[in-house]
Short mmCIF file of all heavy atoms in Angstrom, two decimals:
data_model
loop_
_atom_site.label_atom_id
_atom_site.label_comp_id
_atom_site.label_asym_id
_atom_site.label_seq_id
_atom_site.Cartn_x
_atom_site.Cartn_y
_atom_site.Cartn_z
N ASP F 79 12.66 3.03 -10.59
CA ASP F 79 13.82 2.32 -10.02
C ASP F 79 13.27 1.61 -8.81
O ASP F 79 12.69 2.26 -7.90
CB ASP F 79 14.88 3.33 -9.52
CG ASP F 79 15.52 4.06 -10.71
OD1 ASP F 79 15.43 3.57 -11.84
OD2 ASP F 79 16.09 5.15 -10.47
N TYR F 81 13.79 -0.68 -5.40
CA TYR F 81 14.74 -1.13 -4.39
C TYR F 81 13.97 -2.07 -3.45
O TYR F 81 12.85 -1.77 -3.07
CB TYR F 81 15.27 0.07 -3.59
CG TYR F 81 16.02 1.04 -4.46
CD1 TYR F 81 15.31 2.01 -5.21
CD2 TYR F 81 17.40 1.00 -4.55
CE1 TYR F 81 16.02 2.89 -6.03
CE2 TYR F 81 18.10 1.89 -5.39
CZ TYR F 81 17.39 2.80 -6.11
OH TYR F 81 18.06 3.69 -6.92
N THR F 89 11.05 2.67 4.86
CA THR F 89 11.13 2.84 3.36
C THR F 89 11.02 4.34 3.03
O THR F 89 11.59 4.78 2.01
CB THR F 89 10.02 2.01 2.65
OG1 THR F 89 8.78 2.35 3.22
CG2 THR F 89 10.28 0.54 2.75
N ASN F 90 10.29 5.13 3.83
CA ASN F 90 10.24 6.56 3.59
C ASN F 90 11.63 7.19 3.75
O ASN F 90 12.04 8.03 2.97
CB ASN F 90 9.29 7.24 4.58
CG ASN F 90 7.88 7.37 4.04
OD1 ASN F 90 7.45 6.48 3.26
ND2 ASN F 90 7.14 8.39 4.37
N ASN F 91 12.33 6.73 4.80
CA ASN F 91 13.70 7.27 5.03
C ASN F 91 14.60 6.95 3.82
O ASN F 91 15.38 7.80 3.38
CB ASN F 91 14.36 6.66 6.27
CG ASN F 91 13.70 7.18 7.53
OD1 ASN F 91 12.83 8.03 7.49
ND2 ASN F 91 14.14 6.65 8.68
N TYR F 92 14.45 5.72 3.28
CA TYR F 92 15.33 5.37 2.15
C TYR F 92 15.00 6.20 0.93
O TYR F 92 15.90 6.61 0.21
CB TYR F 92 15.17 3.88 1.83
CG TYR F 92 16.35 3.40 1.01
CD1 TYR F 92 17.58 3.10 1.64
CD2 TYR F 92 16.28 3.26 -0.35
CE1 TYR F 92 18.68 2.70 0.88
CE2 TYR F 92 17.36 2.87 -1.10
CZ TYR F 92 18.57 2.60 -0.49
OH TYR F 92 19.67 2.22 -1.22
N CYS F 93 13.72 6.51 0.75
CA CYS F 93 13.33 7.37 -0.40
C CYS F 93 13.96 8.74 -0.22
O CYS F 93 14.41 9.40 -1.18
CB CYS F 93 11.82 7.56 -0.46
SG CYS F 93 11.02 6.23 -1.32
N LYS F 94 13.97 9.24 1.03
CA LYS F 94 14.58 10.58 1.26
C LYS F 94 16.05 10.52 0.96
O LYS F 94 16.61 11.48 0.44
CB LYS F 94 14.34 10.99 2.70
CG LYS F 94 12.88 11.38 2.97
CD LYS F 94 12.85 11.97 4.34
CE LYS F 94 11.47 12.26 4.82
NZ LYS F 94 11.46 12.62 6.22
N PHE F 95 16.68 9.42 1.30
CA PHE F 95 18.11 9.29 1.02
C PHE F 95 18.31 9.25 -0.49
O PHE F 95 19.23 9.95 -1.03
CB PHE F 95 18.62 7.96 1.66
CG PHE F 95 19.88 7.44 1.08
CD1 PHE F 95 21.10 8.07 1.34
CD2 PHE F 95 19.88 6.30 0.27
CE1 PHE F 95 22.27 7.59 0.76
CE2 PHE F 95 21.06 5.81 -0.31
CZ PHE F 95 22.26 6.46 -0.04
N LEU F 96 17.46 8.54 -1.24
CA LEU F 96 17.59 8.55 -2.72
C LEU F 96 17.37 9.97 -3.27
O LEU F 96 18.11 10.39 -4.15
CB LEU F 96 16.52 7.62 -3.32
CG LEU F 96 16.66 6.14 -3.06
CD1 LEU F 96 15.47 5.36 -3.59
CD2 LEU F 96 17.95 5.59 -3.70
N ALA F 97 16.41 10.67 -2.67
CA ALA F 97 16.14 12.01 -3.15
C ALA F 97 17.31 12.97 -2.90
O ALA F 97 17.53 13.93 -3.64
CB ALA F 97 14.85 12.55 -2.51
N SER F 98 18.07 12.67 -1.80
CA SER F 98 19.19 13.54 -1.49
C SER F 98 20.25 13.40 -2.59
O SER F 98 21.07 14.29 -2.77
CB SER F 98 19.80 13.23 -0.11
OG SER F 98 20.43 11.97 -0.16
N LYS F 99 20.22 12.30 -3.32
CA LYS F 99 21.18 12.12 -4.42
C LYS F 99 20.57 12.62 -5.74
O LYS F 99 21.30 13.16 -6.56
CB LYS F 99 21.57 10.64 -4.54
CG LYS F 99 22.32 10.17 -3.30
CD LYS F 99 23.07 8.87 -3.54
CE LYS F 99 22.08 7.73 -3.64
NZ LYS F 99 22.74 6.45 -3.80
N ASP F 100 19.31 12.33 -5.98
CA ASP F 100 18.67 12.70 -7.25
C ASP F 100 17.15 12.81 -7.05
O ASP F 100 16.48 11.74 -6.90
CB ASP F 100 18.99 11.63 -8.29
CG ASP F 100 18.45 12.02 -9.67
OD1 ASP F 100 17.78 13.04 -9.78
OD2 ASP F 100 18.73 11.25 -10.63
N LYS F 101 16.65 14.02 -7.02
CA LYS F 101 15.19 14.21 -6.79
C LYS F 101 14.37 13.90 -8.04
O LYS F 101 13.15 13.86 -8.00
CB LYS F 101 14.90 15.63 -6.37
CG LYS F 101 15.42 15.99 -5.01
CD LYS F 101 15.03 17.44 -4.72
CE LYS F 101 15.73 18.03 -3.52
NZ LYS F 101 17.16 17.85 -3.43
N SER F 102 15.04 13.82 -9.19
CA SER F 102 14.26 13.80 -10.43
C SER F 102 13.86 12.40 -10.83
O SER F 102 13.04 12.24 -11.76
CB SER F 102 15.11 14.43 -11.56
OG SER F 102 16.18 13.59 -11.82
N ARG F 103 14.36 11.37 -10.18
CA ARG F 103 14.01 9.98 -10.58
C ARG F 103 12.92 9.45 -9.68
O ARG F 103 13.00 9.57 -8.44
CB ARG F 103 15.23 9.09 -10.49
CG ARG F 103 16.24 9.39 -11.60
CD ARG F 103 17.27 8.27 -11.67
NE ARG F 103 16.68 7.01 -12.15
CZ ARG F 103 16.46 6.73 -13.42
NH1 ARG F 103 16.74 7.61 -14.34
NH2 ARG F 103 15.96 5.58 -13.78
N ASN F 104 11.89 8.86 -10.27
CA ASN F 104 10.89 8.22 -9.46
C ASN F 104 11.35 6.84 -9.03
O ASN F 104 11.95 6.15 -9.83
CB ASN F 104 9.57 8.09 -10.24
CG ASN F 104 8.90 9.45 -10.44
OD1 ASN F 104 9.25 10.42 -9.76
ND2 ASN F 104 7.98 9.54 -11.36
N ALA F 105 11.11 6.50 -7.79
CA ALA F 105 11.63 5.24 -7.27
C ALA F 105 10.60 4.56 -6.38
O ALA F 105 9.72 5.26 -5.81
CB ALA F 105 12.93 5.43 -6.54
N LEU F 106 10.69 3.25 -6.25
CA LEU F 106 9.80 2.52 -5.34
C LEU F 106 10.73 1.73 -4.38
O LEU F 106 11.60 1.00 -4.87
CB LEU F 106 8.89 1.59 -6.16
CG LEU F 106 8.02 0.66 -5.32
CD1 LEU F 106 6.96 1.45 -4.54
CD2 LEU F 106 7.32 -0.37 -6.23
N VAL F 107 10.48 1.87 -3.10
CA VAL F 107 11.28 1.10 -2.10
C VAL F 107 10.31 0.20 -1.37
O VAL F 107 9.28 0.67 -0.85
CB VAL F 107 11.96 2.10 -1.13
CG1 VAL F 107 12.77 1.31 -0.10
CG2 VAL F 107 12.83 3.09 -1.86
N SER F 133 7.30 2.63 -0.31
CA SER F 133 7.23 4.10 -0.45
C SER F 133 7.57 4.44 -1.91
O SER F 133 8.51 3.87 -2.48
CB SER F 133 8.25 4.80 0.44
OG SER F 133 8.00 4.47 1.79
N LEU F 134 6.80 5.38 -2.40
CA LEU F 134 7.02 5.86 -3.76
C LEU F 134 7.66 7.25 -3.69
O LEU F 134 7.12 8.12 -3.03
CB LEU F 134 5.68 5.95 -4.50
CG LEU F 134 5.70 6.48 -5.91
CD1 LEU F 134 6.41 5.48 -6.86
CD2 LEU F 134 4.29 6.73 -6.45
N LEU F 135 8.83 7.37 -4.31
CA LEU F 135 9.45 8.69 -4.44
C LEU F 135 8.93 9.28 -5.76
O LEU F 135 9.20 8.74 -6.83
CB LEU F 135 10.98 8.57 -4.44
CG LEU F 135 11.73 9.87 -4.70
CD1 LEU F 135 11.50 10.90 -3.66
CD2 LEU F 135 13.27 9.57 -4.77
N LEU F 136 8.19 10.35 -5.65
CA LEU F 136 7.48 10.88 -6.83
C LEU F 136 7.91 12.31 -7.07
O LEU F 136 7.62 13.22 -6.29
CB LEU F 136 5.96 10.83 -6.49
CG LEU F 136 4.96 11.18 -7.57
CD1 LEU F 136 5.06 10.27 -8.79
CD2 LEU F 136 3.55 11.15 -7.03
N ASN F 137 8.56 12.48 -8.19
CA ASN F 137 8.97 13.81 -8.61
C ASN F 137 7.72 14.60 -8.99
O ASN F 137 6.79 14.07 -9.51
CB ASN F 137 9.90 13.59 -9.84
CG ASN F 137 10.12 14.89 -10.58
OD1 ASN F 137 9.46 15.18 -11.54
ND2 ASN F 137 11.12 15.60 -10.08
N THR F 138 7.66 15.91 -8.62
CA THR F 138 6.46 16.66 -8.95
C THR F 138 6.76 18.04 -9.46
O THR F 138 7.66 18.74 -8.95
CB THR F 138 5.50 16.80 -7.73
OG1 THR F 138 4.41 17.64 -8.09
CG2 THR F 138 6.17 17.33 -6.47
N GLU F 189 5.37 12.63 2.73
CA GLU F 189 6.31 13.67 3.13
C GLU F 189 6.80 14.41 1.91
O GLU F 189 6.99 13.80 0.85
CB GLU F 189 7.48 13.04 3.89
CG GLU F 189 7.00 12.35 5.16
CD GLU F 189 8.10 11.61 5.91
OE1 GLU F 189 8.51 10.50 5.51
OE2 GLU F 189 8.65 12.21 6.90
N GLY F 190 6.98 15.71 2.06
CA GLY F 190 7.40 16.52 0.90
C GLY F 190 8.93 16.77 0.96
O GLY F 190 9.51 16.86 2.02
N ILE F 191 9.54 16.82 -0.22
CA ILE F 191 10.96 17.14 -0.28
C ILE F 191 11.09 18.48 -1.01
O ILE F 191 10.65 18.64 -2.13
CB ILE F 191 11.72 16.00 -1.01
CG1 ILE F 191 11.67 14.76 -0.13
CG2 ILE F 191 13.17 16.43 -1.33
CD1 ILE F 191 12.16 13.53 -0.75
N ILE F 192 11.65 19.41 -0.28
CA ILE F 192 11.66 20.79 -0.78
C ILE F 192 12.91 21.10 -1.56
O ILE F 192 14.01 20.71 -1.20
CB ILE F 192 11.47 21.78 0.42
CG1 ILE F 192 10.08 21.56 0.97
CG2 ILE F 192 11.68 23.25 -0.03
CD1 ILE F 192 9.77 22.34 2.21
N ASP F 193 12.74 21.81 -2.67
CA ASP F 193 13.85 22.35 -3.42
C ASP F 193 14.01 23.79 -2.89
O ASP F 193 13.20 24.67 -3.22
CB ASP F 193 13.55 22.33 -4.91
CG ASP F 193 14.66 22.96 -5.75
OD1 ASP F 193 15.48 23.71 -5.17
OD2 ASP F 193 14.70 22.68 -6.97
N ILE F 199 7.94 22.32 -3.53
CA ILE F 199 8.12 20.89 -3.35
C ILE F 199 8.61 20.28 -4.64
O ILE F 199 7.95 20.44 -5.68
CB ILE F 199 6.80 20.27 -2.87
CG1 ILE F 199 6.48 20.77 -1.46
CG2 ILE F 199 6.89 18.72 -2.91
CD1 ILE F 199 5.39 20.08 -0.77
N ALA F 200 9.74 19.60 -4.57
CA ALA F 200 10.34 19.03 -5.76
C ALA F 200 9.92 17.56 -5.91
O ALA F 200 9.84 17.02 -7.02
CB ALA F 200 11.86 19.09 -5.70
N ALA F 201 9.69 16.93 -4.79
CA ALA F 201 9.32 15.48 -4.86
C ALA F 201 8.53 15.17 -3.59
O ALA F 201 8.57 15.92 -2.60
CB ALA F 201 10.56 14.61 -4.93
N MET F 202 7.81 14.06 -3.65
CA MET F 202 7.09 13.61 -2.47
C MET F 202 7.37 12.16 -2.22
O MET F 202 7.69 11.40 -3.15
CB MET F 202 5.58 13.82 -2.66
CG MET F 202 5.20 15.28 -2.71
SD MET F 202 3.47 15.51 -3.01
CE MET F 202 3.26 14.81 -4.60
N VAL F 203 7.30 11.79 -0.96
CA VAL F 203 7.46 10.36 -0.60
C VAL F 203 6.10 9.93 -0.06
O VAL F 203 5.60 10.43 0.93
CB VAL F 203 8.54 10.21 0.48
CG1 VAL F 203 8.64 8.72 0.90
CG2 VAL F 203 9.88 10.69 0.01
N VAL F 204 5.52 8.98 -0.78
CA VAL F 204 4.20 8.43 -0.34
C VAL F 204 4.49 7.06 0.24
O VAL F 204 4.81 6.11 -0.49
CB VAL F 204 3.20 8.35 -1.51
CG1 VAL F 204 1.83 7.89 -0.98
CG2 VAL F 204 3.12 9.64 -2.25
#
Side-chain angles (χ1 to χ4, degrees):
D79 292 341
Y81 298 82
T89 53
N90 268 32
N91 289 357
Y92 199 80
C93 277
K94 288 188 186 171
F95 161 72
L96 292 173
S98 70
K99 295 198 288 183
D100 183 357
K101 291 182 192 47
S102 67
R103 289 192 67 82
N104 288 345
L106 175 67
V107 181
S133 301
L134 178 69
L135 174 62
L136 186 62
N137 167 264
T138 175
E189 298 177 279
I191 293 171
I192 293 174
D193 178 340
I199 292 191
M202 291 179 296
V203 177
V204 185

